[in-house]
């Protein structure tokens, strides 16, 4: 190497050498950038980048060599063969192109090293072709040892350069390492190969190029080379920035809600997961606030979806305006938002929830729409309420649902016992829905009899549900559940259809009594449905009786009475159930001509109490005066039967006459004989 250093000092123009080194460094940098892009792209893009990389590498090597040759003081006249000079450029472009292609062709270190070695061969081939174009008036001698060393060094360092690009341990320094190694490969080849050259001058033949001419030519060459290289770098920069723009846009679309511009559910869960990781080590607290706009559907229905969208966008903007450091709000979908805060003191969380609420309740004016928004808000906190993002947001939602159903103003904080019970109810409701859809329910029938003759007058249909895990669930539990979760229409229709078709199989034309819920009476289509079911099953209307409680009538009196009149007009009987427990108002009895009053079993159970007897007598007297027959429920003993008969009850029902059972006994006999 000392030899080489000496040779550079003695035999070269230092300025041109510096220029050559500069071209080499800039070029190597450009080549590594472009090669990186060739590796990242595919198909035509990759081919394009390989081409540009090869042109850049060719220009770099060729210019470095050429400028360095111009820097070389041969001490004899020199001419250049134009054809071979051009050939040397082509060799550089094609040779390095081949090497780069192999390096990116397949992933893996071996391919990179092989490709790099070929690039090294291209560098040496270019050099020696270039030297062949360099015509000297003198005896030229090549020292084989140096030639070999120069070629080996070029291939070795070029292989290392491309290998470095693949080496994971270099991480962020890959590009710099590769650039450096490529510079070393080119420079080593050139200067070691020049050391291999030994010139013995002969007589002058042509005028040698003078130093100034040399420098001008060197500058021009370097300039052209640098322009080519700069074009490559510019192309790479444009490509990288467009690609990162596209990526940013795609990322934004994937993580943001198009309507409000807020982060979406996935983005929030990601961020919350990250925040939990941080909080786990720092001991900070996190609050999750779930928000649901109340009666948003009404805005949509009354003013159209465009107005609804505008309201959501306005609310989103207001909430975003409330966010401070370590706070974030996202749209969870529909009219639901979730906000997150990192806090130290509990009052910060309360303040956060209140700020969000204040942002929501301010009136919204959009065009002709002037709405006062109300929202239900639920809050859950890390670490006390949950340890992961999903459970934390679920719990905030549970609290929010409680706020909604309870109609409370202000945020509801997650309360494990209460909210878990609600969750359980919700799951049970989902199971019930499935049971209704999949015919998983059953009906049992309980006999109703004439008080005097004990003759069967009819059967009451009582729905049964056996849950796969919990076993039998009482209708006193799941009927209210069905009301709460809007399952009553489906449940009622199923019971009615099944009861009517069962009754058609009975031996005698007994009546079938079907319980009807308050929620069912709210549907104007109920009489039509009953009519259709009776047509389908062939059950005559006089064999059907519906049972309903006063509550059913009180909920929406006018609507209920309207529906009841239509049902009665079909010829269906209407019985007032559980009389004596609810309002027991004379007004109800006056407003509608019931076909039967069912005295609640509570009174029969308390026959020893004088008050109970007094009420029974009053109800019976009432019935008599309105000509409505009375049925006493819950008769369990002969004594109870005796008393009720003595007091003047028309019909009776209770365990004394029979437990609810799958089908009336008469049918069982009929089936057996069949
Ligand atoms: P309900 O209409 O008052 O039905 C009578 C309830 O009293 C039945 O309970 C029945 O098993 C019970 N029972 C009958 N005789 C006696 C007795 O001698 N002693 C005692 N202690 N109890 C007796 P179940 O089947 O558990 O039904 C409870 C309530 O569920 C029903 O009260 C009714 O309000 C509702 N329900 C039942 N089936 C349906 C239905 O298909 N639709 C609707 N909407 N509600 C139903
Ligand atoms: Ca009943
Ligand atoms: Ca009853």
């Amino acid at each position: 190497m000392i030899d080489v250093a000496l040779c550079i000092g003695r035999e070269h123009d230092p300025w041109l050498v510096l220029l050559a080194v500069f071209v080499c460094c800039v070029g190597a940098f450009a080549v590594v950038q472009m090669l990186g892009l060739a590796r990242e792209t595919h198909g035509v893009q990759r081919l394009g980048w390989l081409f540009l990389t090869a042109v850049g590498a060719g220009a770099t090597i060729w210019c470095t060599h050429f400028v360095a040759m111009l820097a070389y003081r041969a001490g004899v006249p020199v001419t250049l063969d134009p054809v071979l000079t051009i050939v040397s450029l082509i060799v550089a472009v094609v040779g390095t192109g081949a090497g780069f292609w192999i390096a990116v062709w397949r992933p893996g270190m071996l391919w990179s090293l092989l490709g790099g070695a070929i690039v090294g061969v291209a560098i040496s081939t270019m050099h020696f072709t270039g030297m062949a174009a360099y015509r000297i008036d003198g005896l030229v001698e090549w020292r084989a040892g140096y030639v070999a060393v120069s070629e080996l060094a070029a291939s070795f360092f070029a292989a290392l350069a491309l290998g470095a690009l693949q080496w994971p341990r270099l991480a962020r320094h890959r590009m710099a390492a590769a650039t450096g190694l490529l510079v070393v490969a080119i420079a080593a080849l050139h200067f070691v190969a020049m050391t291999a050259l030994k010139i013995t001058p002969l007589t002058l033949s042509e005028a040698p190029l003078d130093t100034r001419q040399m420098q001008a030519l060197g500058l021009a060459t370097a300039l052209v080379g640098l322009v080519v290289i700069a074009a490559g770098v510019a192309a790479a920069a444009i490509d990288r920035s467009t690609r990162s723009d596209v990526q940013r846009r795609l990322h934004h679309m994937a993580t943001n809600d198009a309507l409000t511009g807020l982060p979406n559910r996935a983005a929030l869960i990601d961020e919350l997961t990250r925040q939990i990781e941080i909080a786990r080590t720092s001991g900070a607290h996190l609050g999750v606030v779930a928000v649901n706009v109340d009666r948003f559907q009404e805005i949509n229905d009354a003013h159209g979806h465009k107005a609804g969208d505008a309201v959501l966008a306005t609310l989103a903007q207001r909430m975003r305006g409330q966010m401070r450091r370590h706070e974030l709000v996202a749209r969870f979908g529909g009219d639901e938002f979730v906000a997150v805060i990192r806090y130290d003191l509990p009052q910060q969380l309360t303040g956060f929830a209140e700020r969000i609420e204040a942002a929501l309740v301010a009136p919204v004016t959009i065009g002709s729409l002037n709405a006062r928004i109300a929202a239900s808000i639920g809050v859950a906190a890390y670490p006390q309420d949950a340890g992961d993002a999903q459970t934390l947001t679920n719990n905030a939602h549970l609290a929010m649902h409680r706020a909604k159903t309870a109609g409370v103003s202000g945020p509801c904080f997650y309360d494990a016992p209460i909210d878990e019970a609600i969750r359980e109810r919700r799951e049970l409701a989902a199971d019930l829905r499935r049971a209704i859809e999949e015919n998983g329910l059953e009906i049992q029938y309980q006999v109703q009899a004439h008080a005097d003759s004990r003759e069967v007058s009819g059967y009451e249909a009582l729905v049964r549900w056996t849950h796969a895990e919990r076993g039998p669930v009482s209708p006193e539990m799941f009927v209210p559940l069905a009301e709460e979760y809007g399952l009553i229409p489906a449940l009622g229709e199923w019971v009615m259809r099944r009861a009517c078709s069962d009754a058609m199989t009975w031996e005698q034309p007994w009546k079938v009594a079907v319980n009807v819920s308050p929620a069912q009476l709210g549907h104007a289509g109920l009489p039509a449905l009953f009519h259709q079911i009776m047509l389908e099953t062939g059950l005559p209307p006089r064999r059907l009786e519906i049972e309903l409680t006063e509550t059913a009538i009180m909920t929406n009196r006018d609507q209920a009475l309207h529906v009841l009149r239509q049902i009665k007009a079909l010829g269906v009987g209407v019985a007032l159930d559980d009389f004596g427990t609810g309002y027991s108002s004379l007004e109800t009895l006056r407003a509608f001509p019931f076909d039967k009053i069912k005295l609640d079993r509570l009174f029969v159970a308390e026959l020893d109490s004088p008050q109970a007897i007094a009420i029974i007598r009053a109800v019976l007297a009432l019935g008599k005066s309105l000509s409505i027959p009375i049925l006493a429920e819950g008769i369990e003993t002969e004594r109870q039967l005796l008393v009720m008969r003595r007091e003047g009850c028309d019909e009776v029902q209770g365990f004394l006459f029979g437990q609810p059972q799958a089908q009336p006994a008469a049918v069982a006999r009929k089936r057996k004989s069949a």
Side-chain angles (χ1 to χ4, degrees), residues 442-593:
E442 277 169 274
I443 295 187
Q444 291 192 337
Y445 295 91
Q446 189 179 33
V447 68
Q448 299 177 331
H450 292 288
D452 294 330
S453 62
R454 290 194 179 207
E455 218 177 284
V456 174
S457 60
Y459 285 90
E460 181 181 357
L462 295 162
V463 65
R464 295 288 176 261
W465 179 30
T466 309
H467 188 274
E469 283 134 38
R470 296 160 182 253
V473 185
S474 160
E476 265 157 328
M477 153 75 189
F478 74 79
V479 171
L481 188 75
E483 301 205 7
E484 192 182 330
Y485 287 90
L487 304 176
I488 281 294
L491 176 72
E493 183 176 340
W494 184 87
V495 171
M496 180 58 79
R497 187 167 272 120
R498 170 59 67 86
C500 290
S501 67
D502 278 357
M504 283 303 288
T505 66
W506 295 347
E507 196 175 59
Q508 305 262 330
W510 294 303
K511 274 192 177 182
V512 59
V514 179
N515 292 284
V516 168
S517 283
Q520 281 175 280
L521 285 186
H523 283 267
L526 198 67
L529 177 70
F530 287 179
H531 184 61
Q532 190 203 329
I533 291 175
M534 283 186 291
L535 286 178
E536 271 174 32
T537 56
L539 186 81
R542 62 187 155 73
R543 286 189 60 195
L544 179 63
E545 187 166 73
I546 60 164
E547 295 188 4
L548 49 102
T549 59
E550 274 186 289
T551 328
I553 298 166
M554 293 305 194
T555 322
N556 186 350
R557 207 182 138 83
D558 292 346
Q559 162 82 9
L561 290 177
H562 179 66
V563 168
L564 279 182
R565 275 188 210 108
Q566 285 177 281
I567 290 172
K568 200 172 160 81
L570 290 173
V572 174
V574 181
L576 186 59
D577 205 354
D578 299 348
F579 193 74
T581 53
Y583 305 87
S584 308
S585 81
L586 296 176
E587 174 53 24
T588 313
L589 290 175
R590 200 195 58 77
F592 190 80

Side-chain angles (χ1 to χ4, degrees), residues 41 56 80 97 148 282 285 329 370 383 400 657:
T41 48
L80 287 172
S282 72
H285 293 258
V329 62
N370 199 331
M400 183 269 286
F657 306 95

Side-chain angles (χ1 to χ4, degrees), residues 345-355 411 413:
L345 304 168
Q347 50 267 41
Q348 287 174 288
L349 177 58
T350 331
F352 181 58
E354 283 167 359
R355 254 190 290 138
F413 285 74

Side-chain angles (χ1 to χ4, degrees), residues 11-17 20 66-73 214:
E11 298 170 341
H12 287 79
D13 174 340
W15 293 111
L16 284 180
V17 168
F66 202 80
V67 175
M69 281 317 295
L70 291 174
Y72 180 67
R73 290 172 186 146
M214 287 280 212

Side-chain angles (χ1 to χ4, degrees), residues 11-182:
E11 298 170 341
H12 287 79
D13 174 340
W15 293 111
L16 284 180
V17 168
L18 271 183
L19 186 62
V21 170
F22 178 70
V23 169
C24 185
C25 289
V26 174
F29 171 77
V31 165
V32 169
Q33 295 295 315
M34 292 188 281
L35 185 61
L37 284 167
R39 214 186 270 288
E40 285 168 28
T41 48
H42 295 276
V44 181
Q45 280 199 19
R46 171 175 280 187
L47 278 181
W49 281 118
L50 277 176
F51 172 73
L52 287 182
T53 314
V55 169
T60 304
I61 299 161
W62 188 82
C63 285
T64 306
H65 167 83
F66 202 80
V67 175
M69 281 317 295
L70 291 174
Y72 180 67
R73 290 172 186 146
V76 287
V78 171
T79 53
L80 287 172
D81 180 317
V83 176
L84 275 177
T85 307
I86 290 167
V87 168
S88 71
L89 176 62
I90 293 169
V91 162
V93 172
V94 174
T96 54
F100 293 138
W101 183 70
I102 285 172
V104 301
W105 182 43
R106 291 275 160 85
M109 184 54 99
L110 226 65
W111 292 105
S112 288
L113 292 176
L114 179 64
I118 291 172
V119 169
V121 171
I123 296 171
S124 349
T125 314
M126 184 273 130
H127 179 89
F128 292 109
T129 317
M131 288 311 292
Y134 194 81
R135 297 279 152 79
I136 300 170
D137 270 354
L139 289 175
V140 174
E141 212 183 305
W142 291 97
R143 286 181 276 188
Y146 280 106
V147 170
V149 168
S150 73
E151 285 180 346
L152 278 177
S155 281
F156 176 71
F157 287 113
L160 280 190
L162 297 211
L165 275 181
Q166 286 276 68
W167 203 26
R169 300 249 304 262
L170 282 171
R172 284 182 302 118
H173 307 293
R174 275 177 215 187
M175 294 288 204
T179 306
L181 285 163
L182 203 56

Side-chain angles (χ1 to χ4, degrees), residues 577-578 598 600 633:
D577 205 354
D578 299 348
K598 294 185 78 177
D600 195 79
E633 289 188 290

